[in-house]
């Protein structure tokens, strides 16, 4: 068996981003683990791609069906689907090395489904499972048909050039709820941490770099750091089989300096995941069905001509891919929504002008209805028209993207207007930046026309998290009554109350800066008659840059600033011969590249904040990663179902005399254990 990682890194030497690196690795795999040459004129070898759900999620944001066809993939099928034999075609497998998957692959060998088998495992396969495959191949007399077996180390999903997430399948295993539920056992916590560490290890193998690791103490992030440091250290120690030697290092983006990995726990900031947002990508994720770069919209097919009492017509579902090829998306995904609406309108007007120009030239020359071939055979005087007609494919693609973003933006706008999301966003920004509020919080909660019960709960939770002094019991009861009357479930509030009590004991609440949004009046251009967007009544809010807690922590560590917030962060260097428990960095120079990884889940708001932050830093690069990507609805659902522990506050760890920083530390253990379990799941016997 071989590792594809070392060879892939050489092929990816010119790849600047993690997206490009993972794409290069996938194309190499699909080319039977031989480097794929872009402009090769020869016919590709036709083959079948067999993947599981994990493999499908990794491939789908990176390679389109057309790109797969160009690589010679005639058929792509799920491993556990019913598949007919295709005995004269090679099969490329891309799956996780699970018991279930191994059994099915062994069954394929026994059934002689394909001519040859190229087995690629998303994560490293164990020796025992490899022996199971070998035994099955031997029993089926198919040893010579198993052409190659590779560990690909691609167990993560890349969504942007500078953003990745660990998994989409079984994400509840590494969710915020899974890590923070008080009844989690040590074995379960070890499994969660090992899953996260395995994916991060794959990420750095693909990146071809060994990071310097920094993390906060007493959190789940610390346990990830300890385990990742150990895994990297063990791999580096084995010089013969190390995945970080030779041409895997010094390639591409991270060539001059090792990157910094900042591991942070979701609990450092619970307000941002609840925040109503105002930028395009984050809004799409918040209010629409958007995952793995695909947005699904429901379009009503209308009720006209329906007889009385007839069943309403089913809504049509449409899916749109928002990819790097989409220039409008790349340019505007981080823009405030009113700016996006205006840009869509401008693009539409530009397209109509180009279309009208083609029609006008045809009309002048009496060529209406003529095909393009006839036009191109005319004299030189028609060069202008020929040029216009030849740009028609480009025009059609432009029209497709305009229609796409018109539909998506219209769907977002419907939510903004129906739920008054601009009001929520502006009010929350004022709360988080400690600006004077111009309206009572109770008034918004009690307003039946302002948002859904979930919107009201999100607003109140942000208020509760952001205020230094919690509201009095009398005030809290008043808020609770208003929330209950509005139809809110109060379970999330119970959890946040407990979380805030312990956060207060451990450290000061997260600060969100002192700047806020600036209302600029109502939109002008996009309110014109004939506009696709009737934005009347929606505020045109201009965003001001303010660093969120995650961005602020990164800034301190990347720029080597001394700050009480990050001064005690642990420091790990896997390349050092001996591991040390130090918070004093050996490297005193600011970092040029950094990866921020949020244990417990991330969101597009933090991602966009980091993107905006790094724009002002010449020559620096940041990647954002998280164990799962959730919107506010999904996050509230998780918080709602975390069981509460009504235990007296004030328990301290005996050894370090430090306050508890994690709700897990409240779970009582059997009497044979004299100490409370640390957040990272270890039990200490007397």
């Amino acid at each position: 068996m071989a590792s594809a990682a070392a060879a892939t890194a050489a092929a990816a030497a010119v790849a600047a981003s993690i997206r490009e690196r993972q794409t290069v690795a996938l194309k190499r795999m699909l080319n039977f683990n031989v480097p794929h040459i872009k402009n090769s004129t020869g016919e590709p070898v036709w083959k079948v791609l067999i993947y599981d759900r994990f493999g499908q999620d990794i491939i789908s944001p990176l390679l389109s069906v057309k790109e797969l066809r160009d690589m010679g993939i005639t058929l792509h099928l799920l491993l556990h689907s019913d598949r007919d034999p295709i005995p004269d075609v090679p099969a490329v497998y891309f799956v996780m090395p699970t018991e279930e998957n191994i059994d099915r692959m062994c069954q394929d060998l026994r059934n002689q489904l394909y001519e040859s088998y190229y087995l690629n495992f998303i994560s490293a396969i164990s020796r025992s499972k490899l022996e199971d495959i070998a035994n099955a191949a031997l029993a089926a007399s198919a040893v010579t048909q198993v052409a190659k077996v590779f560990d690909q180390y691609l167990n993560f999903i890349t969504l942007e050039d500078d953003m990745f997430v660990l998994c989409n399948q079984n994400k509840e295993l590494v969710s915020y709820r899974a890590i923070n539920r008080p009844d989690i056992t040590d074995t379960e916590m070890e499994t969660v941490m090992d899953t996260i560490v395995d994916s991060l290890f794959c990420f750095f193998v693909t990146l071809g770099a060994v990071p310097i690791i920094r993390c906060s103490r007493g959190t789940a992030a610390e346990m990830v750091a300890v385990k990742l440091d150990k895994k990297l250290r063990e791999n580096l120690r084995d010089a013969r089989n190390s995945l970080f030697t030779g041409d895997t290092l010094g390639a591409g983006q991270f060539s001059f300096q090792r990157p910094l990995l900042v591991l942070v726990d979701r609990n450092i900031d619970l307000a941002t995941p609840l925040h109503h947002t105002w930028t395009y990508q984050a809004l799409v994720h918040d209010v629409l069905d958007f995952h793995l770069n695909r947005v699904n919209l429901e379009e009503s097919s209308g009720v006209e001509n329906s007889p009385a009492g007839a069943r309403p017509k089913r809504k049509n579902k449409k899916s749109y891919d928002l990819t790097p090829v989409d220039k409008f998306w790349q340019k505007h995904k981080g823009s405030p929504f009113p700016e996006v609406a205006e840009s869509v309108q401008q693009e539409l007007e530009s397209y109509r002008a180009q279309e009208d120009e083609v029609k006008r030239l045809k009309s002048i020359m009496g060529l209406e209805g003529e095909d393009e071939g006839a036009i191109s055979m005319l004299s030189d005087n028609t060069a202008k028209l020929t040029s216009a007609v030849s740009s028609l494919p480009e025009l059609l693609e432009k029209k497709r993207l305009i229609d796409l973003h018109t539909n998506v933006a219209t769907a977002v706008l419907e939510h903004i207007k129906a739920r008054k999301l601009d009001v929520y966003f502006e009010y929350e920004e004022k709360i988080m930046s400690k600006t004077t509020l111009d309206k009572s919080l109770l008034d918004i909660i009690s307003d039946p026309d302002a948002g859904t019960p979930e919107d009201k709960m999100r607003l109140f939770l942000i208020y509760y998290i952001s205020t230094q002094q919690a509201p009095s019991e009398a005030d809290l009861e008043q808020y609770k009554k208003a929330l209950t009357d509005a139809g809110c479930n109060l379970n999330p509030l119970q959890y946040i109350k407990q979380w805030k009590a312990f956060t207060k004991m451990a450290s000061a609440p997260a600060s969100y800066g002192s700047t806020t949004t600036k209302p600029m009046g109502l939109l002008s251009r996009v309110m014109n008659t004939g506009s696709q967007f009737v934005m009347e009544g929606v505020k045109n809010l201009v965003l001001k840059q303010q660093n969120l807690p995650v961005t602020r922590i990164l800034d301190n560590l990347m720029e080597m600033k001394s700050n009480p917030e990050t001064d005690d962060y642990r420091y790990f260097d896997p390349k050092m011969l001996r591991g040390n428990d130090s918070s004093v960095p050996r490297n005193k120079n600011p970092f040029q590249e950094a990866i921020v990884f949020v244990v417990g889940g991330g969101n597009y708001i933090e991602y966009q904040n980091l993107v905006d932050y790094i724009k002002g830093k010449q020559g620096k690069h940041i990647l954002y990663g998280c164990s799962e990507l959730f919107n506010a609805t999904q996050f509230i659902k998780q918080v709602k179902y975390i069981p509460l522990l009504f235990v007296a506050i004030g328990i301290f760890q005996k050894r370090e005399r430090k306050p508890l920083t994690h709700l897990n530390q409240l779970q009582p253990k059997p009497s044979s254990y004299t100490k409370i379990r640390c957040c990272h799941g270890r039990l200490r016997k007397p």
Side-chain angles (χ1 to χ4, degrees), residues 232-387:
L232 289 167
R233 196 179 293 280
E234 286 172 354
N235 190 266
L236 289 166
R237 196 181 294 136
D238 184 0
R240 279 184 61 195
N241 299 309
S242 176
L243 299 162
F244 296 96
T245 54
D247 54 11
T248 63
L249 295 176
Q253 180 180 352
F254 296 96
S255 51
F256 302 113
Q257 189 192 41
R258 286 168 61 196
L260 169 71
L261 169 63
V262 180
L263 290 166
V264 294
D265 193 284
R266 178 70 275 158
N267 282 312
I268 63 155
D269 173 20
L270 293 191
T272 301
L274 297 165
H275 191 19
H276 289 87
T277 182
W278 200 236
T279 55
Y280 191 25
Q281 186 177 42
L283 263 171
V284 168
H285 188 235
D286 188 16
V287 303
L288 303 179
D289 176 13
F290 179 58
H291 64 283
L292 299 182
N293 293 349
R294 173 170 289 181
V295 60
N296 299 303
L297 297 181
E298 280 193 349
E299 296 181 344
S300 178
S301 53
V303 292
E304 52 277 357
N305 302 326
S306 295
R311 194 180 289 177
K313 290 185 180 179
R314 290 181 65 183
K315 291 184 175 180
N316 296 323
K317 282 195 173 182
K318 277 200 170 183
S319 295
Y320 301 104
D321 290 320
L322 300 172
T323 64
V325 181
D326 184 341
K327 290 178 182 174
F328 185 90
W329 176 248
Q330 288 302 103
K331 184 178 179 182
H332 293 290
K333 65 187 179 186
S335 303
F337 183 75
E339 199 177 295
V340 173
E342 189 164 357
S343 297
V344 172
Q345 189 63 28
Q346 287 172 351
E347 289 285 327
L348 186 59
E349 288 170 9
S350 166
Y351 164 77
R352 282 173 179 163
Q354 286 176 278
E355 192 180 42
D356 290 345
E357 177 66 7
V358 174
K359 286 178 181 174
R360 189 182 66 81
L361 286 168
K362 277 188 171 188
S363 176
I364 288 171
M365 302 181 74
L367 292 170
E368 282 119 328
E370 294 284 349
D371 63 19
E372 291 176 33
I375 293 169
S376 62
M377 292 170 67
L378 295 173
S379 67
D380 292 340
N381 295 334
T382 65
K384 196 173 180 183
L385 178 60
T386 306
S387 171

Side-chain angles (χ1 to χ4, degrees), residues 90-276:
V92 176
Y93 284 73
F94 184 51
V95 297
M96 286 291 281
T98 62
E99 289 284 353
E100 191 183 15
N101 286 350
I102 300 298
D103 289 347
R104 187 58 188 261
M105 291 164 79
C106 292
Q107 186 183 319
D108 288 357
L109 289 170
R110 286 191 291 271
N111 294 340
Q112 299 281 311
L113 289 189
Y114 308 109
E115 178 190 65
S116 54
Y117 302 82
Y118 293 80
L119 309 182
N120 299 277
F121 295 101
I122 295 169
S123 200
I125 186 173
S126 67
R127 185 174 180 83
S128 62
K129 288 174 182 171
L130 203 56
E131 287 171 357
D132 292 343
I133 295 173
N135 291 333
L138 204 60
S141 302
V143 174
T144 55
Q145 290 172 273
V146 180
K148 287 180 181 177
V149 182
F150 270 87
D151 288 330
Q152 291 292 343
Y153 293 98
L154 293 173
N155 190 17
F156 61 95
I157 300 168
T158 307
L159 297 175
E160 302 284 346
D161 286 343
D162 47 8
M163 182 183 188
F164 68 100
V165 62
L166 294 197
C167 61
N168 186 52
Q169 301 296 321
N170 299 346
K171 60 184 177 184
E172 61 278 356
L173 176 66
V174 294
S175 66
Y176 178 83
R177 178 180 179 271
I179 296 170
N180 289 276
R181 63 189 177 91
D183 57 342
I184 190 170
T185 65
D186 298 307
T187 308
E188 288 172 334
M189 183 61 106
E190 288 287 330
T191 304
V192 172
M193 294 298 116
D194 287 341
T195 304
I196 293 172
V197 168
D198 178 72
S199 289
L200 281 173
F201 181 77
C202 290
F203 171 83
F204 284 106
V205 169
T206 304
L207 195 64
V210 181
I212 303 287
I213 304 170
R214 302 296 302 273
C215 71
S216 53
R217 294 175 183 270
T219 64
E222 182 182 21
M223 190 180 183
V224 172
V226 170
K227 282 179 169 285
L228 181 61
D229 175 64
K230 183 183 175 188
K231 193 168 177 110
L232 289 167
R233 196 179 293 280
E234 286 172 354
N235 190 266
L236 289 166
R237 196 181 294 136
D238 184 0
R240 279 184 61 195
N241 299 309
S242 176
L243 299 162
F244 296 96
T245 54
D247 54 11
T248 63
L249 295 176
Q253 180 180 352
F254 296 96
S255 51
F256 302 113
Q257 189 192 41
R258 286 168 61 196
L260 169 71
L261 169 63
V262 180
L263 290 166
V264 294
D265 193 284
R266 178 70 275 158
N267 282 312
I268 63 155
D269 173 20
L270 293 191
T272 301
L274 297 165
H275 191 19
H276 289 87

Side-chain angles (χ1 to χ4, degrees), residues 400-520:
R400 184 187 73 81
L401 293 177
I402 290 168
D403 289 345
L404 185 162
H405 288 286
T406 300
N407 292 339
V408 172
T410 302
V412 171
L413 181 60
E414 284 172 6
H415 281 274
I416 291 174
K417 293 171 81 172
R419 293 161 56 185
K420 298 188 178 177
L421 297 185
D422 52 335
V423 174
Y424 277 95
F425 169 70
E426 187 180 17
Y427 200 87
E428 287 166 6
E429 286 281 307
K430 287 179 179 177
I431 289 171
M432 292 165 77
S433 59
K434 312 289 188 291
T435 309
T436 308
L437 302 175
D438 54 357
K439 192 176 182 183
S440 160
L441 181 61
L442 267 175
D443 288 348
I444 296 181
I445 294 172
S446 305
D447 183 354
D449 298 323
T452 63
E454 186 184 275
D455 291 324
K456 296 173 195 290
M457 178 53 77
R458 285 166 64 179
L459 173 63
F460 182 72
L461 291 178
I462 288 171
Y463 165 74
Y464 192 87
I465 290 167
S466 303
T467 51
Q468 294 282 354
Q469 192 68 38
S472 66
E473 279 302 315
D475 287 346
L476 190 58
E477 285 305 314
Q478 200 175 357
Y479 284 124
K480 279 184 179 180
K481 185 181 182 306
L483 288 166
T484 306
D485 292 345
C488 298
N489 182 315
L490 297 183
N491 280 5
L493 175 59
Q494 299 302 327
Y495 175 80
I496 294 296
K497 272 181 73 176
Q498 201 175 53
W499 169 84
K500 180 155 181 168
F502 296 114
T503 307
K504 201 171 181 182
M505 278 171 39
S507 60
S511 166
Y512 296 89
S514 57
T515 56
T516 185
T517 53
K518 189 175 164 192
M520 296 291 288

Side-chain angles (χ1 to χ4, degrees), residues 159 163-166 171 174-176 264-266 269 272-274 285 550 596-608 610 624-632 634-635 638:
L159 297 175
M163 182 183 188
F164 68 100
V165 62
L166 294 197
K171 60 184 177 184
V174 294
S175 66
Y176 178 83
V264 294
D265 193 284
R266 178 70 275 158
D269 173 20
T272 301
L274 297 165
H285 188 235
V550 167
V596 185
F597 186 83
V598 187
V599 179
N603 52 76
Y604 280 109
I605 304 172
E606 279 174 344
Y607 164 67
Q608 191 56 50
L610 285 163
Y624 178 75
C626 48
S627 49
E628 67 164 328
L629 190 65
F630 47 52
N631 60 22
Q634 294 159 341
F635 183 57
Q638 288 192 37

Side-chain angles (χ1 to χ4, degrees), residues 498 502 644-651 660 665-668 676:
Q498 201 175 53
F502 296 114
L644 296 171
L645 281 172
F646 297 98
V647 183
I649 297 170
I651 304 170
L660 293 163
Q665 291 167 267
L666 282 178
Q667 176 66 13
I676 300 298

Side-chain angles (χ1 to χ4, degrees), residues 660-679:
L660 293 163
T661 56
H662 211 274
L663 293 184
N664 285 345
Q665 291 167 267
L666 282 178
Q667 176 66 13
K669 288 290 167 183
S671 57
S672 59
Y673 294 100
T674 58
K675 295 204 176 183
I676 300 298
R677 182 172 61 79
C678 295
C679 66

